[in-house]
Amino acid sequence: MLKVIRSQSDLSAKYIHILFVIAPLVNGYFALATESFDDFGCPHTLEHLVFLGSEKYPYKGVLDSLANRAIAQGTNAWTDVDHTCYTINTAGSEGFLKLLPIYVDHILYPTLTDSGYYTEVHHINGKGEDAGVVYSEMQGCQNTGDDRIHLRMRRIMFPEGCGYRSETGGLMERLRELSVEKIRGYHKAYYRPDNLCLIITGTINHDLVLQALGPVEENILTKGPLPPMDRPWVNSGDFPDLEKDVEETVLFPDEDESMGTVLIAWNGPMCHDHIQIKALEVLNVYLTESPVSVLQKEFVEIEEPLCTDVEFHATDHLKTTLMLTASNVPVEEMEDFPKLLFETFQRLVEEEDIDMERMATVIEKEMLKLLDSIETDAHDTAAAACISDFLYGRPDGRDLLDSLKDKEYLNKLASYTKADWLGVLIKWYLDPPHVTLYGKPSAEFAEQLSEEEKKRIEKQRADLGEEKLKQLQHDLEKAMATNDAKLPDEIIESFTIPPVSSINFINVLTARNNDDGEIKNEVQKWINKDNAIHVPLFIQFDHVHSQFVKISAHISAASVPASLLPYTRLLLKTIFSLPVKGDDGEIIPYEDVVKLLSKDTVEYDAGLGTTCGFRELLVFTIKTEASKYQKGIQWLKNILWRTQFTAERLKIVAYQALNDIPQAKRDGHSMTNAVMRALQYDSKKSANAARNVLYQASFLQEVVQRLDDDPASVIADLDAYREALCRPNNIRIHVTGNINKLEKPRTSFANVFPTMDLKAPLAPVTLSQQVLNPAGLEPGQIGTIINLPTIENSFSLQTAKGPSRFDDPDIPALLVMSELLDTMEGIFWKFIRGQGLAYSCFLTADAETGSLSFTIYQSPDAYKAFAKAKSVIDQLTNGEMAIEPSAIEGAKSAVIYSMVARENTMDRAALQSFVNQVLKQVPATHNRDMLAAIQATTLEDLKRVLRKYFVNMFTPGKVNIVVVSSPGKTDDIQKGFASLGFDLEVKTLNDFSEP
């Protein structure tokens, strides 16, 4: 269980919450209640400007530069409709405590300069184009389907004068009118010590936290008394319920007009009505969680799905809003959905149709998820409860305690009758008025937006005139120069980097089935004692303290015939919702399989690879309570060998996958990666390439047709895929949990797999670099721009050669150099984000693919961001730009943080053990060994990798480039890249429909 200390300060913050979590990271969440009654985006713009310097530290980037030296990767923040939260995660507590008073000084007393506003929020450049980091961010999301639908929902649900109604991110048309004076006024009104809540999670000393805040409190005293403040939201956050049903259509831009979204919203309970909120959570899970849930069966798990998913969401506001979203609904059937939904609800009531056995399973599983979240997500889970209490709870803390009694509420719900559950359904979903919004894609609307923006820019240029445009460019350059005032060395150097020894790592002990005597620890002894039967499988056991056990099968797809690889997506999507042949030969219907899986497991999943890559492996995972270990193994066997492919199930899932595709193709960043994958990988060898969403439309349409005409051929293909895949020598099993408390950790597998024999040698792990095509192996042959009407900005991805061995001695220097460039307030950050050329950019060194990649994310013009990055690399290489020693130390510290963050929970630490020893074939200590190599990196090492790798990223003939852009920007981007010697061909996504 979590230990929580809640205290109050008369000065530095209204509340300080410290939650003790045993983990190597210490996380800080610094929240303010922020309420806005317009769409200028003051909360969001202020969130950005806070990082540009403070009263005591009036230098742009000082906070992130010091954060890197605190063994962190910069800082971060988010803006929600009712609060703004600033975050910091450090490895160990020493750096956190040093940074805490500096961070709070930035929040309470930021500089908020004219020049900072000009570059970070909004400006007009010398070409008459609107730019700025915040402006680029909102340009990337304002006209997406989700944003347009949810904004319209808020406009209907919440009356004029209610803060929940506003677009706190800032609408582009309002950002163009905003001023820094308005933001300063907003800061004065809301950024006060008595409206600040400090939440700290991890292993940290409470007294040292209060001591660290001492300088902040001294500074606050010098400011004099504050005027009285009405508490945000508590007096204004309530609002009248809807009086009548409202139904509207919301258009969003897209050339593909086949699939849309339906959103239905209701007024929900007040936030302190915990039992009602928990009842709705449970009911929503019951209605939508799995393929046998009521709404999934009714609308998704049918031969011609009415949508590909249906899910509920409730806001965490003073009065909640309940929302149901149906995704990827065929436009021609969209208006049927609400009628059918409410008819389904009515039928449940009339027939008293609540499966109480499945409801009991849902409640039991929710109990287990509570325990699991403490192990896997304790920091964020605890912080969310504390932020909600800070915003809406009573000062004495009673509401915080009540909000943490989930187990008590679930126990109470376990006694609910059918009538009780139907009463919840009637009260919140059937009886009250609701809003129905039909989100429809429109090619005409896409063209209209593009044309309107083009005309607006042309008029803006004409109105400003040549001289004014020159002045604006001059103002921009002056603002950038002002912002980039050099940070004094003494500030950086006085912030000493904590030693790595101060970090509390999670200890993982590894054991192996059939170990040859090399591993010597208590866990291996326990495994060796369980020796009654020979178990001919590769199994690695990783021991951590957990109430659960996770069993994963990592299976190489190298033996699957090329003609069958396109089935990968369909197989993974269907495998947990198929009939299963039981031990007695009887077929268990898929509905019963899903119900039993829900009863026996905490979670289950099928996918490609891990969070560390290895996308040529199919990974099947079962997580259970430790007491159900053998059942988990049995389920793994059932899923891999005993599932029965049927034409009915395959057709349903194939239609779902088909209907998902239009939505997937609306995301610029995802499509950049999909196109690069299509151009660089051999789909005849790569499971990951063969399942590319760009290819799947034509393949799945063919599969659906064959399921009508010749279903046996499709079933035979999938059986052949499974037979080729699930050979014992392809499989590496990973077991994570409290191994020493498992009764038969090893022979439990023999009891389930009695006839299996590992006759052939274990197949090698297939790496991504082994399935590249010639253009992927020798970068420099790919240059493509994709027109995408659904976006208003651009994205790009560049890949060049990188180290191809996991133990390559260049990797530590490559990681440090990448961090120097793209970390917060790193070189790219200053010259690209800082100048409004992109919302972000980042480098990725991946030894598994043998590549170094550079991503530009949400840019007004990807060419300009690329050109600036090229200029930086050129200057660093030829010595025109120096690398500061203090920046190197900060970058090393940030890389160390990223290594530690990979092992931040027991699950992640165990996964790293398996990935290193089994998939990468490096020692278990690889990550810790890397820390020493990172610390030993020199300036000469950095210069070497600059010349060896980074220069190629910007050299024609050495790098592959894919850009995805709104149609109105394509010509300029193409011409820009051509001026640097890159020949980019303009295409559409339809050009990639076949491998």
Side-chain angles (χ1 to χ4, degrees), residues 7 51 196 218 264 316 353-354 388 399 418 458 596 641 668 677 702 762 790 827 971:
S7 57
F51 295 106
L196 173 64
E218 289 173 13
I264 302 175
D316 188 17
D353 186 7
I354 297 288
S388 182
D399 292 320
K418 279 188 181 184
E458 287 173 354
L596 289 167
W641 286 279
R677 195 160 62 249
E702 178 194 333
L762 196 62
T790 56
I827 302 171
D971 288 346

Side-chain angles (χ1 to χ4, degrees), residues 509-673:
L509 292 177
T510 294
R512 292 270 178 88
N513 176 41
N514 301 326
D515 173 56
D516 56 9
E518 286 189 11
I519 301 175
K520 300 185 186 302
N521 59 46
E522 292 305 310
V523 181
Q524 188 65 58
K525 288 179 184 176
W526 179 245
I527 296 296
N528 293 344
K529 283 182 181 178
D530 182 24
N531 60 2
I533 309 171
H534 175 63
V535 181
L537 288 170
F538 179 92
I539 309 171
Q540 175 161 308
F541 300 88
D542 277 314
H543 175 81
V544 291
H545 293 290
S546 174
Q547 299 182 67
F548 304 97
V549 61
K550 181 185 282 189
I551 310 154
S552 300
H554 299 249
I555 310 179
S556 171
S559 58
V560 176
S563 62
L564 301 180
L565 285 175
Y567 283 103
T568 302
R569 181 180 292 270
L570 187 59
L571 182 140
L572 291 171
K573 200 170 170 66
T574 58
I575 199 71
F576 279 103
S577 60
L578 293 170
V580 165
K581 182 182 284 188
D583 290 333
D584 56 3
E586 292 292 316
I587 301 298
I588 305 169
Y590 95 89
E591 295 93 339
D592 291 341
V593 169
V594 173
K595 289 178 182 177
L596 289 167
L597 272 167
S598 293
K599 189 173 183 179
D600 290 341
T601 70
V602 179
E603 63 182 47
Y604 53 87
D605 185 52
L608 280 186
T610 73
T611 53
C612 306
F614 299 94
R615 299 282 185 255
E616 299 306 316
L617 300 178
L618 280 73
V619 181
F620 302 87
T621 301
I622 304 280
K623 188 171 189 176
T624 70
E625 296 170 85
S627 61
K628 294 182 178 179
Y629 175 54
Q630 185 140 345
K631 281 189 176 180
I633 299 171
Q634 179 67 54
W635 274 117
L636 190 63
K637 176 182 179 180
N638 289 343
I639 293 304
L640 293 181
W641 286 279
R642 290 184 169 182
T643 42
Q644 307 294 299
F645 297 108
T646 66
E648 179 189 10
R649 291 299 302 151
L650 292 172
K651 193 170 184 181
I652 287 169
V653 176
Y655 266 122
Q656 291 171 18
L658 270 170
N659 291 351
D660 277 333
I661 291 172
Q663 176 69 25
K665 287 184 174 181
R666 291 167 188 153
D667 185 282
H669 178 58
S670 295
M671 288 303 98
T672 308
N673 286 284

Side-chain angles (χ1 to χ4, degrees), residues 38-41 117 121-122 135 142 155 167 170-179 182:
D38 54 45
D39 300 319
F40 284 98
Y117 170 85
V121 179
H122 174 258
Y135 192 85
Q142 180 170 319
R155 298 293 206 236
E167 174 49 80
L171 295 178
M172 286 186 287
E173 52 270 31
R174 297 285 82 81
L175 288 170
R176 294 194 289 266
E177 301 168 352
L178 184 60
S179 68
K182 186 174 179 66

Side-chain angles (χ1 to χ4, degrees), residues 750-770:
N751 296 336
V752 175
F753 299 107
T755 60
M756 184 170 288
D757 193 8
L758 187 60
K759 294 178 180 177
L762 196 62
V765 173
T766 305
L767 303 180
S768 295
Q769 60 186 263
Q770 295 167 330

